[in-house]
Amino acid sequence: MKTRQIARRTFLRGVVPLPLILTAAARPSVPRRVKFGLVSDVHQDVMPDGVDRIRRFVTAMQEAGADFILQLGDFCWPHPRNEGFLAAWNVFAGARYHVLGNHDMDGGYQREQTVAYYGAPARYYTFDAGPLRGIVLDSNDPGGKARGYRKFIAADQQAWLEDALKRSDRPVCVFIHHPLDEGGGIENGRAIRTILEGVEAANPGTVLAVFSGHFHQDYVLEINGVRYVQINSASYVWLPEAAARETYPPEVHRAHPHLRNVAAYQNPLWALVTVDLDRGELVVEGTRSKWLGPDPWERGAPETDYPRDKCRPVISDRRFTLRQSR
């Protein structure tokens, strides 16, 4: 036995490890394209058909060959009654990621409970998908001056974000519930934008886009070289009490009392995003629906608060040219 071991070691000394003799043409190519599905503000605890909406999204993403799916918050409470809803989400065969929305802790739940219920790795975290790094933020930190729901990112998470951006070895998409632009989004949005835009200015092509939900609107802004893409709700626009109206059968409203304030979309909305670094583009393929019942303005919603070009049952198709990537 000892002689055989010596002979084998002698033989191995003369073997060049295979990876060292591969030619450049023979090395496996690294994929430079990734496709993912985004859905936001499903509000399972408001809508009577949340399970059907998420099931249709998952089916569409499976058929489209998405590499991963991600929801941008206001998904569901961590309540046992929502296990069927979460199970419909988990049918997707690929990776699944979660962003915490402000309503995901309604009913007295803590953020950590919701994270555990979803099976997410943490409140904020990174993940890799081929040539892309995803950075998920939690905009529900204590701090700021807002009463009621928090919309803030604390100093420790800001430091973590800046470090994650600077250390990334590939381009980044950022995912957050509250928008970072002015006017009702995250309170210290300017501070977060300064971090993102500073890193992008120093190394163009690092921050490909920032995706957010919360507003239930459809628009995109570009500020100092960074794109901020608002992903519309999968389900509805929330209306003030003056525009409240029953548009579902009475028994449905009895079971779902918040529906009076909902201008629902007939069909769910979602987006399929493709990042192609070889082509130098980021493409958003959106979806379109119609209002279920009277539209917000027929119901008395003011256009000053509900602009028609943003408040609509649509996620628009968009195509962005990427800067020289890292």
Side-chain angles (χ1 to χ4, degrees):
M1 180 64 70
K2 184 176 180 181
T3 303
R4 291 179 182 176
Q5 288 175 339
I6 293 172
R8 183 172 183 271
R9 284 198 294 268
T10 303
F11 171 74
L12 288 175
R13 289 194 195 104
V15 175
V16 179
L18 184 59
L20 296 181
I21 62 173
L22 284 175
T23 65
R27 293 190 186 111
S29 60
V30 177
R32 301 260 298 165
R33 186 172 182 268
V34 64
K35 186 184 298 186
F36 57 93
L38 292 180
V39 68
S40 189
D41 297 89
V42 183
H43 286 278
Q44 157 68 5
D45 297 283
V46 172
M47 298 299 293
D49 59 351
V51 174
D52 180 64
R53 289 176 186 264
I54 212 66
R55 184 181 292 125
R56 292 171 66 179
F57 165 70
V58 165
T59 298
M61 294 304 102
Q62 298 269 48
E63 292 174 351
D67 296 292
F68 69 88
I69 58 175
L70 184 146
Q71 64 85 12
L72 285 163
D74 287 357
F75 193 58
C76 73
W77 300 2
H79 191 284
R81 68 167 176 262
N82 288 328
E83 289 176 3
F85 175 77
L86 195 59
W89 167 267
N90 288 334
V91 165
F92 184 76
R96 305 174 297 274
Y97 300 107
H98 295 271
V99 174
L100 283 179
N102 54 298
H103 286 292
D104 293 326
M105 286 73 69
D106 283 351
Y109 294 100
Q110 301 299 311
R111 288 184 291 178
E112 291 73 17
Q113 291 175 285
T114 305
V115 166
Y117 187 79
Y118 291 167
R123 295 188 294 107
Y124 52 91
Y125 55 94
T126 67
F127 64 89
D128 290 338
L132 180 71
R133 177 155 297 165
I135 296 183
V136 171
L137 299 178
D138 174 17
S139 52
N140 303 282
D141 276 343
K145 300 178 181 179
R147 297 180 179 180
Y149 291 108
R150 299 161 174 169
K151 42 184 180 178
F152 193 78
I153 290 182
D156 59 341
Q157 190 178 172
Q158 290 185 45
W160 174 89
L161 169 63
E162 186 165 14
D163 182 65
L165 287 166
K166 290 180 177 178
R167 290 167 60 91
S168 182
D169 61 355
R170 64 198 74 190
V172 165
C173 282
V174 177
F175 304 98
I176 184 172
H177 180 64
H178 294 88
L180 293 172
D181 47 282
E182 306 290 349
I186 186 171
E187 281 192 70
N188 57 341
R190 182 172 296 180
I192 310 307
R193 292 202 314 269
T194 297
I195 294 172
L196 295 167
E197 294 159 14
V199 170
E200 176 63 19
N203 196 344
T206 299
V207 183
L208 303 184
V210 178
F211 294 96
S212 61
H214 184 64
F215 277 174
H216 298 220
Q217 293 183 352
D218 174 57
Y219 66 88
V220 61
L221 296 175
E222 185 164 338
I223 306 173
N224 296 327
V226 175
R227 301 176 189 89
Y228 299 90
V229 184
Q230 170 68 197
I231 298 297
N232 202 344
S233 166
S235 302
Y236 67 81
V237 170
W238 181 263
L239 299 178
E241 190 59 35
R245 184 180 301 184
E246 292 194 358
T247 55
Y248 287 83
E251 63 273 14
V252 177
H253 279 280
R254 284 195 295 270
H256 303 270
H258 295 298
L259 281 178
R260 295 182 68 256
N261 296 87
V262 162
Y265 307 146
Q266 289 184 15
N267 298 306
L269 300 181
W270 60 72
L272 178 67
V273 181
T274 302
V275 174
D276 193 323
L277 298 181
D278 288 328
R279 295 175 63 91
E281 64 180 15
L282 185 154
V283 178
V284 178
E285 298 174 68
T287 41
R288 307 182 71 88
S289 185
K290 297 180 179 179
W291 299 106
L292 195 157
D295 67 35
W297 307 281
E298 292 178 271
R299 293 171 60 165
E303 288 197 41
T304 51
D305 297 330
Y306 295 85
R308 291 177 184 264
D309 62 331
K310 297 179 181 179
C311 238
R312 51 189 183 169
V314 171
I315 294 178
S316 296
D317 293 339
R318 306 187 188 278
R319 185 180 297 271
F320 304 111
T321 299
L322 301 178
R323 295 175 181 85
Q324 183 177 358
S325 60
R326 297 163 59 100

